[in-house]
Amino acid sequence: MPHLEDVKRRQFLQYAVLGTMAAALPGFTLAEDRPINDTPDPAFKPDVEVELTAQIAEVSILPGANTRVFQYQGKLLKGPSHSIKTLPGYLGPILNLEHGQKVRIFFYNKLSEPSIVHWHGLHVPQKMDGHPMYEIYKGERYVYEFEVENRAGTNWYHSHTHEMTATQVYQGLAGLITVTDAEEKKLGLPSGEYDLSLVIQDRRFTAGNQFQYGHGMHQRMMGFHGDTILVNGQANSTIPVKSRAYRLRLLNGSNARIYKLGWDGGAPLTAIGTHGGLLEKPETLPYIMLAPAERVELWVDFSGRKPGTELTLQSLEYQGVMSPMGGRRGGMGMMTGGLAPGALFPIVKFQITEQVSDSPSLPNQLVSMRRLTEKDISNVGKTVPIAIGMRRMSFQLNGRTFGMQKHMDVEKIPVNTIQKIRIFHDNQMMGGMGGMGGMGGMGGMGGGMRGGMMGMMGNIPHPIHLHGQQFQILSRKQTRQSDGYDTVKNGFINSGWKDTVLVMPGEEIEILKPFEDFTGLFLYHCHNLEHEDMGMMRNFYVE
Ligand code: C2O
Ligand code: CU
Ligand code: CU
């Protein structure tokens, strides 16, 4: 089996050669052979028009040398001036959109590797969704045109390049999208400086302050876990706040790390929104599990706190997620300087800097929501499976790894239907591996090692994401008892619209998902980006 590095290198070389060829032949663009959309539609009249360029940049993250990153740089060509908000650091600009707006985005790739952008959480046509088949090369552009059909909420955009999503997002290719609508505006939620967006990511740095990434087996299995937590691209973040209520939008933009969000004093968290927007009413939880790609909106009230006091948002300890090569704990911890999956660490500090006396109060009713039930589904008795399995040291979905336009019969979905989908661990497939016959090169390992590896695979959580419209959770249960589940089980928000669901070891989850408006290929995959890149991704074909 070739090393991942070799595969990447080969890809780079191929792309490099193709790029040179295209440049050398006048009138020849690679685009002609590929389905990329590089011309705007004159009939489409955008309300907002943006230029987004993926390029190399140098930013200051740690004291000392700058860090070389990949960055989306934005420029507003048309529309309200707040439509894009540029941030310090490496993240792309925040796109502030409104329900009903027509948006055109010119995406330019100035990197020496292919790239494409996906609008995670937005309901857009196949051609506008950033499927890896549309990746563009250096010097090319892709034109996105879509109408914002989502309700108010917090979404994001990131690279979705074939087998390079993990490395490109890691190097910086991600940014937030907010959507607002009339219903949300009526609520008078904290806005302006009281509406804070925080993107949580973990990284590792070289001694020279450069991002460090590895392709080893631990990382493939567990996904990348860094030892430095960054919030909006900054380490050791402290955010100055006033003694009043805030709306806090959190995105887990990490490749693989799952956070168990909690306050340092043990106070509960108040959630007002999930991936698909605001909840019907606020929900109070002791802690919140936030898996990669998940967003949560919190109502945080600093009222009554004295200037100078601090409140820390932490990731609390949890168990049940195996650290590779080191038993329950330790292995990963030793490798990463203490930030094992499930370890306790601070994420961000809020420091009260100013006392104010007025603060909005939390509405007890938020927005109306279309509640889906089993009565709404069209696939009665034919639940769509998403079986999580593994073969030859690669994770699979429904027994397959990703093929660019591949889809099986069970992955065909009639358009304008609501489908019931069951996401589960395919233990049979795991059992079917028997004496690990499927695991090629592992044959020579001792029995203890085998047992360890088997345990490890079953104990890896998978944040499963479906493109297109948001879904609702119908049921969630443990089909196999798994250690440590008690330390995470009260942190799931099962109401509200979602586009990603964390499937813990031993868990089985049923969802109800509409597939309305658009036909074509829509991805579903694990949002542990290392898993995604190794092929834990498939297409639904909506027809
Ligand atoms: Cu956030 Cu298919 O991705
Ligand atoms: Cu997505
Ligand atoms: Cu996974």
Side-chain angles (χ1 to χ4, degrees):
M1 188 174 71
H3 283 277
L4 197 57
E5 284 85 347
D6 297 334
V7 174
K8 296 279 182 220
R9 179 176 303 273
R10 213 167 43 234
Q11 280 177 351
F12 269 116
L13 289 174
Q14 270 171 11
Y15 294 133
V17 169
L18 286 170
T20 323
M21 252 174 49
L25 301 172
F28 176 79
T29 65
L30 280 167
E32 286 168 14
D33 291 351
R34 292 176 289 119
I36 70 168
N37 190 44
D38 65 354
T39 326
D41 173 2
F44 183 89
K45 302 278 173 254
D47 303 301
V48 176
E49 201 170 40
V50 172
E51 204 175 276
L52 204 62
T53 305
Q55 58 188 69
I56 286 174
E58 293 222 343
V59 297
S60 165
I61 301 176
L62 301 177
N66 280 347
T67 308
R68 191 171 172 270
V69 298
F70 286 176
Q71 185 175 45
Y72 290 125
Q73 296 188 352
K75 196 169 134 195
L76 184 64
L77 303 178
K78 183 182 177 200
S81 62
H82 63 261
S83 306
I84 73 171
K85 185 182 170 198
T86 304
L87 302 171
Y90 60 81
L91 289 166
I94 303 184
L95 305 181
N96 295 307
L97 307 176
E98 260 183 67
H99 177 90
Q101 267 177 342
K102 288 204 164 87
V103 180
R104 177 183 286 147
I105 298 165
F106 294 100
F107 170 56
Y108 292 91
N109 182 6
K110 289 196 179 162
L111 299 169
S112 310
E113 48 190 272
S115 203
I116 194 69
V117 194
H118 165 56
W119 320 101
H120 182 125
L122 297 190
H123 177 43
V124 297
Q126 174 198 288
K127 250 172 110 176
M128 304 303 160
D129 195 42
H131 191 287
M133 72 173 134
Y134 298 124
E135 62 192 19
I136 57 167
Y137 302 93
K138 187 173 193 167
E140 294 181 340
R141 81 169 176 193
Y142 198 99
V143 181
Y144 293 91
E145 289 163 332
F146 55 81
E147 183 172 330
V148 180
E149 297 195 2
N150 287 60
R151 347 158 41 232
T154 308
N155 298 286
W156 64 305
Y157 59 98
H158 60 78
S159 145
H160 217 305
T161 315
H162 185 52
E163 291 177 347
M164 293 175 150
T165 295
T167 52
Q168 292 191 352
V169 171
Y170 184 73
Q171 289 176 90
L173 293 186
L176 276 170
I177 302 173
T178 71
V179 176
T180 183
D181 62 14
E183 200 181 6
E184 178 195 58
K185 283 182 188 153
K186 271 192 281 181
L187 287 171
L189 296 174
S191 60
E193 63 170 304
Y194 308 117
D195 177 352
L196 299 175
S197 296
L198 305 180
V199 180
I200 310 169
Q201 296 175 309
D202 59 339
R203 296 290 183 266
R204 282 168 72 91
F205 290 88
T206 64
N209 283 356
Q210 301 310 303
F211 285 154
Q212 201 172 21
Y213 189 83
H215 296 277
M217 188 173 70
H218 303 177
Q219 184 167 312
R220 275 169 62 83
M221 293 295 109
M222 293 299 291
F224 173 89
H225 286 77
D227 56 9
T228 307
I229 302 298
L230 302 181
V231 170
N232 292 346
Q234 297 295 302
N236 305 313
S237 298
T238 299
I239 296 176
V241 292
K242 296 180 184 168
S243 61
R244 56 159 280 152
Y246 281 72
R247 175 183 190 171
L248 212 63
R249 304 170 191 254
L250 301 172
L251 160 69
N252 181 355
S254 310
N255 281 28
R257 185 178 290 279
I258 300 165
Y259 301 87
K260 177 179 175 179
L261 305 174
W263 294 113
D264 58 347
L269 299 147
T270 304
I272 56 170
T274 50
H275 323 158
L278 295 169
L279 296 167
E280 287 177 301
K281 48 177 186 290
E283 240 173 83
T284 302
L285 296 97
Y287 54 85
I288 293 173
M289 299 305 295
L290 200 70
E294 288 199 285
R295 289 85 71 203
V296 67
E297 297 199 21
L298 300 178
W299 176 277
V300 187
D301 199 346
F302 301 106
S303 295
R305 288 177 187 269
K306 296 257 157 352
T309 56
E310 288 182 345
L311 194 65
T312 304
L313 185 68
Q314 299 178 310
S315 187
L316 307 173
E317 220 174 64
Y318 62 89
Q319 283 103 42
V321 173
M322 193 66 86
S323 299
M325 308 303 172
R328 184 65 46 74
R329 293 288 179 70
M332 195 77 187
M334 280 178 323
M335 287 171 45
T336 59
L339 285 189
L344 169 76
F345 54 84
I347 297 171
V348 61
K349 261 188 204 150
F350 296 91
Q351 188 176 51
I352 290 67
T353 52
E354 199 184 320
Q355 203 145 20
V356 292
S357 48
D358 62 317
S359 173
S361 49
L362 177 64
N364 37 38
Q365 244 4 79
L366 295 166
V367 295
S368 59
M369 206 178 126
R370 169 184 169 207
R371 270 277 149 222
L372 304 180
T373 72
E374 290 213 61
K375 288 200 193 85
D376 299 313
I377 65 171
S378 10
N379 61 331
V380 180
K382 283 198 299 182
T383 302
V384 176
I386 297 184
I388 298 169
M390 165 162 227
R391 200 163 12 146
R392 296 187 190 282
M393 300 307 283
S394 261
F395 294 107
Q396 303 185 321
L397 294 172
N398 289 324
R400 304 282 167 93
T401 49
F402 183 61
M404 193 57 85
Q405 305 203 24
K406 296 262 160 61
H407 50 89
M408 300 178 283
D409 276 348
V410 292
E411 293 167 325
K412 285 191 184 153
I413 310 275
V415 69
N416 294 326
T417 60
I418 295 171
Q419 302 279 317
K420 178 165 151 184
I421 302 175
R422 184 170 75 105
I423 312 171
F424 58 101
H425 296 273
D426 193 349
N427 296 318
Q428 204 189 331
M429 199 187 300
M430 306 260 300
M433 294 195 319
M436 308 204 26
M439 297 178 64
M442 304 295 295
M445 292 194 173
M449 179 65 190
R450 289 183 187 183
M453 291 301 291
M454 291 302 289
M456 187 180 108
M457 288 160 214
N459 282 319
I460 294 178
H462 300 282
I464 301 295
H465 167 53
L466 287 77
H467 283 218
Q469 270 163 305
Q470 309 263 339
F471 55 79
Q472 290 176 16
I473 307 268
L474 176 66
S475 73
R476 169 165 221 151
K477 62 174 187 254
Q478 278 280 95
T479 55
R480 172 174 65 80
Q481 223 194 319
S482 89
D483 291 352
Y485 189 66
D486 283 352
T487 64
V488 302
K489 68 169 191 222
N490 296 323
F492 302 120
I493 302 175
N494 293 318
S495 58
W497 293 102
K498 292 168 71 77
D499 56 47
T500 305
V501 61
L502 176 59
V503 186
M504 289 300 289
E507 258 193 335
E508 174 177 317
I509 294 165
E510 288 177 313
I511 63 170
L512 301 175
K513 177 173 157 55
F515 289 83
E516 288 159 349
D517 308 322
F518 307 124
T519 56
L521 294 172
F522 291 91
L523 298 163
Y524 67 100
H525 58 89
C526 184
H527 222 291
N528 177 315
L529 296 182
E530 282 69 32
H531 293 181
E532 173 185 332
D533 277 358
M534 75 168 85
M536 195 179 182
M537 173 157 75
R538 295 286 307 168
N539 289 298
F540 280 126
Y541 183 67
V542 184
E543 54 182 356

